[in-house]
Amino acid sequence: MRLCVLGAGAVGASTARLASEYGHTVTAFADSTGAVVDSDGIDVDGALAHKERVGSVGESDPSDALAAEYDALVEATPTTLGDAHPGFEHVEAAFERDKHVVLANKGPVAERYDDVVALAEASAGELRFEATVAGTIPVLSTIEGVGAERVNAVRGVLNGTANFVLSRMSADGLGYEHVLAEAQDLGVAEADPSFDVDGTDAALKGAILANVIHGGGYSLADVDVEGIEDFPGSALEVAAEDGRTVRLIGEVTATGDIRVGPRLVPENDPLAVTGTENIVQLDTEHAGRLNLSGAGAGGPETATAVLADVTRLD
Amino acid sequence: MRLCVLGAGAVGASTARLASEYGHTVTAFADSTGAVVDSDGIDVDGALAHKERVGSVGESDPSDALAAEYDALVEATPTTLGDAHPGFEHVEAAFERDKHVVLANKGPVAERYDDVVALAEASAGELRFEATVAGTIPVLSTIEGVGAERVNAVRGVLNGTANFVLSRMSADGLGYEHVLAEAQDLGVAEADPSFDVDGTDAALKGAILANVIHGGGYSLADVDVEGIEDFPGSALEVAAEDGRTVRLIGEVTATGDIRVGPRLVPENDPLAVTGTENIVQLDTEHAGRLNLSGAGAGGPETATAVLADVTRLD
């Protein structure tokens, strides 16, 4: 399949790099300032070297990529809130040309799900967005197999950075600021980790899950969010005395509420994953509880979810 | 989709019962002694009541079911070893008529995988068999998404009965015979639990996983199998002193070996699932390690895997 990859951050770059291994060809690749287009397949390593040298993947105008020849758009530009600009417009442009759309960008399906679905329904293209929830973990394809209407509730650890911080505070009795600085040194937390530690990132994933399970209607504004910035280390000590620990849990309840916040969980509970690992629990109608865990982030890891989606397009 | 369901044990009966909820119609249903066929859809509850009363789902000849009108065969007759008779012949008959085949019966894909794949390739019908490995857990669809060639190794707890026995022996210091009798009382172990406790059932699943990952060539004879019948309770005590426990682990190694046997695992390891739960770990090329856990057996639970397969057939 011919891919147009928008976004050359960790996920976009890894998707472009791994595409050929999966039997696909990148015919267009763009970041915010440049693009490279070739209907026979671009030189991905060359484009990434170009970015390294001059800051953009190529000399063409970024808009040339969307106008190029391709079968599926991979939208991996940074997640934006509210109108989800410019990701939403990229999705719109692809569907209007009857192309498939595979999202790594959470914005369009967290903030404007109903609009995106309407565009998909009016298009011959198909919509997939496995990579937007819990990185490499096959949450959405599992929900697809179970049948969204038979998933009663979902909960999980949906942000690896917050989980790294909480599990390290808990295991080693270290303070929040200390562990956050360590996470930044390790590259586990970004320079501005606000969306990870204030719960926004997990809340976006909660909104996406709610949209999938309940057929739309949700956005970030519908999520009851509490982060971990002010979580007291002393509460972790109290929890530990009782054989429990604390994780930042995102959940979609059976009644359709979405909540993100620090929750007590037993130390040996499947939810008590450590480090940057994510886990998603699905409570299903006939199949009981399914637990899916693995890497919730990372360029190549998340790219595998993008490429699994591409493979699932007919 | 119109289904022909062969086998009216726990999985076959649950599949027939749940099919309509998934939007499918059962047009033929048979057990070893009788069948009921109706191209407009059979009365599933009536057929199961008939089986309750007289021992078979209907008055027609069992062979009438395979000859009926349907789109997909659901093969849920008991697993048999060696030539996998009569499951294999059912699969053959369906593929020769260009029908899809969804297996719950492990025999054909554990013992005669290459023959089954050859039949599928010569047919317009498609082959799926998610329900044969770890019940409701979406192992095979996850491997499909990752790409079989990018799964380096697989290991897991693949038999719920053996896991119930080992985890109960370990948690409560009880003897093997005592716990096995309890499991039989609870319906967790069959009257003849040989295949569960001697490792055969897990070995069949290991052979199926190896076939999927390595493109065929494996059968039960290729598995190095050790069961739990002679496992000493004292070894569990020694393990516990070291913070570990023992589970019956089935694995397909990176070099293509298949092994089933009791293994030491840390008590808080994801592999240390309790009760009848199953878990599968996939070590992947780009996505790190994925853990998938849930109900490894049970009629409705396993039927959801069958029906997810049916949904995935175009």
Side-chain angles (χ1 to χ4, degrees), chain B residues 9 14 52 64 71-72 120 132 143 152 173 187 205 209 211 229 247 258-259 280 284 293 302 311:
Chain B
S14 290
E52 192 79 15
D64 292 351
D71 304 302
T132 62
I143 293 174
N152 298 326
K205 293 163 181 166
L209 286 167
N211 280 323
E229 318 97 300
R247 291 294 183 269
I258 321 173
R259 292 194 290 249
V280 178
T284 71
S293 68
T302 306
T311 301

Side-chain angles (χ1 to χ4, degrees), chain A residues 101-103 126-130 141 144 308-310 312-313:
Chain A
V101 173
V102 174
L103 292 169
E126 198 182 326
L127 169 70
R128 301 196 70 92
F129 45 100
E130 181 70 88
S141 68
E144 202 171 15
D309 267 354
V310 173
R312 287 191 169 106
L313 298 168

Side-chain angles (χ1 to χ4, degrees), chain A residues 156-248:
Chain A
V157 170
L158 303 174
N159 182 279
T161 303
N163 200 66
F164 177 91
V165 172
L166 277 179
S167 60
R168 186 115 171 75
M169 283 171 71
S170 174
D172 302 297
L174 298 168
Y176 172 80
E177 298 296 343
H178 178 98
V179 175
L180 185 60
E182 181 192 58
Q184 287 170 320
D185 284 347
L186 291 169
V188 166
E190 296 176 58
D192 176 4
S194 313
F195 279 9
D196 294 317
V197 296
D198 73 8
T200 303
D201 176 74
L204 290 166
K205 292 162 181 168
I208 294 169
L209 286 167
N211 280 324
V212 168
I213 293 169
H214 295 292
Y218 293 89
S219 71
L220 180 61
D222 299 304
V223 188
D224 180 0
V225 194
E226 192 185 339
I228 62 164
E229 317 96 301
D230 305 317
F231 194 78
S234 57
L236 288 166
E237 285 169 39
V238 175
E241 282 167 20
D242 195 32
R244 301 205 239 183
T245 185
V246 175
R247 290 294 182 270
L248 184 67

Side-chain angles (χ1 to χ4, degrees), chain A residues 148 150-155 213-214 251-255 280-285 289-290:
Chain A
R150 283 177 291 274
V151 175
N152 298 326
V154 184
R155 76 192 64 75
I213 293 169
H214 295 292
E251 57 182 329
V252 181
T253 69
T255 52
V280 178
Q281 286 188 334
L282 304 176
D283 288 350
T284 72
E285 187 68 26
R289 178 171 292 175
L290 286 166

Side-chain angles (χ1 to χ4, degrees), chain A residues 18 21-22 136-138 141-142 145-146 150 277 286-287 289-295 300-301 304 308 312, chain B residues 18 21-22 136-138 141-142 145-146 150 277 286-287 289-295 300-301 304 308 312:
Chain A
L18 291 174
E21 186 188 317
Y22 283 70
T136 190
I137 305 172
S141 68
T142 298
V146 170
R150 283 177 291 274
E277 199 173 357
H286 304 297
R289 178 171 292 175
L290 286 166
N291 297 294
L292 314 172
S293 67
E301 293 84 350
T304 65
R312 287 191 169 106
Chain B
L18 292 174
E21 186 188 317
Y22 282 70
T136 189
I137 304 172
S141 67
T142 298
V146 171
R150 283 178 290 274
E277 200 173 356
H286 304 295
R289 179 172 290 175
L290 286 166
N291 296 293
L292 313 171
S293 68
E301 291 85 351
T304 65
R312 287 191 170 108

Side-chain angles (χ1 to χ4, degrees), chain B residues 5 14 18 20 44-45 49 56 58 68 73 118 126 154 168 174 186 188 228 241 247 249 254 267-268 270 273 289 312:
Chain B
V5 179
S14 290
L18 292 174
S20 65
V44 173
D45 290 337
S56 73
L73 169 68
E126 198 183 325
V154 183
R168 187 119 170 72
L174 299 168
L186 291 169
V188 167
I228 62 164
E241 282 165 22
R247 291 294 183 269
I249 302 294
E267 268 170 1
N268 58 356
V273 291
R289 179 172 290 175
R312 287 191 170 108

Side-chain angles (χ1 to χ4, degrees), chain A residues 11-39:
Chain A
V11 177
S14 290
T15 301
R17 217 181 261 122
L18 291 174
S20 65
E21 186 188 317
Y22 283 70
H24 307 302
T25 307
V26 180
T27 54
F29 188 22
D31 53 34
S32 58
T33 55
V36 51
V37 172
D38 185 337
S39 58

